[in-house]
C-alpha cells in the first residue's frame, strides 16, 4: 500500500538529502553533519536541520564540535572553527578525542568533540587543529603506547587556551599538577 507523503515532509526530505550529500560524514558510529556556528545566511543552520529531522521523526543530538581552521599559510595561528554536529553517540570512539587535564586535585579525563573526518586529517590539518604535541610535534592521534597520550598542559599566561603535549614532553602532567597544587595551596 502506497502512503502519500505530506508536502512539508517531502520538502524536508529533499533538504536533508542534499545536506547529507554536501556535508555528511559516515563512519562506524553513525552520521554526522557539521555546521559552522552562525552560518544561517549561507546555508541551513543546525537548528534548521534539527527542525527537518524532527519533522521526519529522526532521533538526533546537537553538540558543539570543532574542525581545523581554513587552510592558509598562517592557519596554525587561527582559532579552531566552532560548529555543531548531530548524532554523536556518547560512547563512540571515532568521534571523540580523549585528553588528560592536570589539575590541582589530580588528573581529569576530558573528551574533545571533533568533526567526523578528524581521524583522516592530514598532519598539516592535525597541526592546525592543535592535535600534535606543542613541544615535539608528535601526532597525538597516533597513540601507539602510553608515552604518546595527550595531556592538556596550559601555559600559565593563557590558562583558558588548550595546549596539548605528549606524555614524554610533559612527564605525564605530573609537573603541572604539582605547580597547580602549589598555587592552590593543596598537597600534591
Amino acid at each position: 500500500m502506497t502512503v502519500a507523503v505530506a508536502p512539508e515532509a517531502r520538502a524536508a526530505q529533499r533538504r536533508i538529502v542534499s545536506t547529507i550529500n554536501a556535508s555528511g560524514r559516515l563512519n562506524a558510529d553513525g552520521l554526522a553533519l557539521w555546521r559552522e556556528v552562525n552560518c544561517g545566511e549561507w546555508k541551513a543552520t543546525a537548528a534548521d536541520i534539527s527542525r527537518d529531522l524532527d519533522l521526519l521523526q529522526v532521533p538526533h543530538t546537537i553538540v558543539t564540535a570543532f574542525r581545523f581552521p581554513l587552510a592558509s599559510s598562517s592557519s596554525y595561528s587561527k582559532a579552531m572553527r566552532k560548529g555543531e554536529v548531530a548524532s554523536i553517540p556518547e560512547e563512540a570512539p571515532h568521534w571523540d578525542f580523549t585528553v588528560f587535564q592536570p589539575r590541582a586535585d589530580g588528573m581529569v579525563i576530558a573528551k574533545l568533540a571533533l568533526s567526523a573526518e578528524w581521524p583522516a586529517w592530514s598532519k598539516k590539518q592535525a597541526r592546525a587543529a592543535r592535535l600534535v604535541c606543542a613541544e615535539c610535534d608528535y601526532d597525538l592521534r597516533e597513540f601507539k603506547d602510553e608515552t604518546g597520550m595527550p595531556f592538556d598542559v596550559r601555559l600559565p599566561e593563557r590558562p583558558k587556551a588548550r595546549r596539548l603535549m605528549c606524555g614524554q614532553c610533559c612527564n605525564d602532567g605530573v609537573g603541572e599538577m604539582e605547580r597547580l597544587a602549589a598555587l592552590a595551596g593543596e598537597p600534591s
Side-chain angles (χ1 to χ4, degrees), residues 131-151:
L131 296 180
V132 298
C133 178
E135 292 292 321
C136 71
D137 205 42
Y138 170 75
D139 191 337
L140 294 166
R141 298 170 305 158
E142 293 178 8
F143 188 72
K144 294 177 184 149
D145 58 35
E146 290 186 8
T147 61
M149 293 185 347
F151 290 85

Side-chain angles (χ1 to χ4, degrees), residues 2-3 14 16-17 23 27 31 34 36 38 42 45 47 86 89 99 108 131 135 140-142 147 160 171-172 179 181:
T2 306
V3 177
R14 286 189 183 108
I16 290 298
V17 168
S23 64
N27 66 19
L31 176 68
W34 190 85
E36 195 153 358
N38 302 322
W42 308 106
T45 64
V99 299
V108 175
L131 296 180
E135 292 292 321
L140 294 166
R141 298 170 305 158
E142 293 178 8
T147 61
K160 294 184 179 181
N171 189 27
D172 295 328
R179 184 186 76 78

Side-chain angles (χ1 to χ4, degrees), residues 12 23 40 51 55 70 77 95 97 115 126 133 149 160:
S23 64
R51 281 190 291 278
L55 179 66
L70 294 171
S77 63
W95 303 102
F97 185 75
S115 60
C133 178
M149 293 185 347
K160 294 184 179 181

Side-chain angles (χ1 to χ4, degrees), residues 77-140:
S77 63
K78 290 183 180 179
M80 290 282 283
R81 295 184 292 151
K82 184 177 177 183
E84 293 161 319
V85 180
S87 300
I88 296 182
E90 183 68 31
E91 70 283 350
H94 297 293
W95 303 102
D96 298 335
F97 185 75
T98 303
V99 299
F100 298 90
Q101 291 182 334
R103 301 229 176 125
D105 55 350
M107 194 67 69
V108 175
I109 297 174
K111 292 191 180 218
L112 303 178
L114 299 169
S115 60
E117 69 272 15
W118 75 266
W121 288 346
S122 70
K123 178 79 178 261
K124 182 178 178 182
Q125 291 167 327
R127 191 177 291 115
R130 292 178 173 81
L131 296 180
V132 298
C133 178
E135 292 292 321
C136 71
D137 205 42
Y138 170 75
D139 191 337
L140 294 166

Side-chain angles (χ1 to χ4, degrees), residues 104 181 185-188:
E186 294 180 16
S188 57

Side-chain angles (χ1 to χ4, degrees), residues 42-72:
W42 308 106
K43 54 187 165 183
T45 64
D48 296 334
I49 295 168
S50 180
R51 281 190 291 278
D52 283 344
L53 292 172
D54 285 340
L55 179 66
L56 298 171
Q57 300 178 0
V58 176
H60 61 281
T61 306
I62 296 176
V63 299
T64 300
F66 294 89
R67 198 174 204 176
F68 62 89
L70 294 171
S72 76

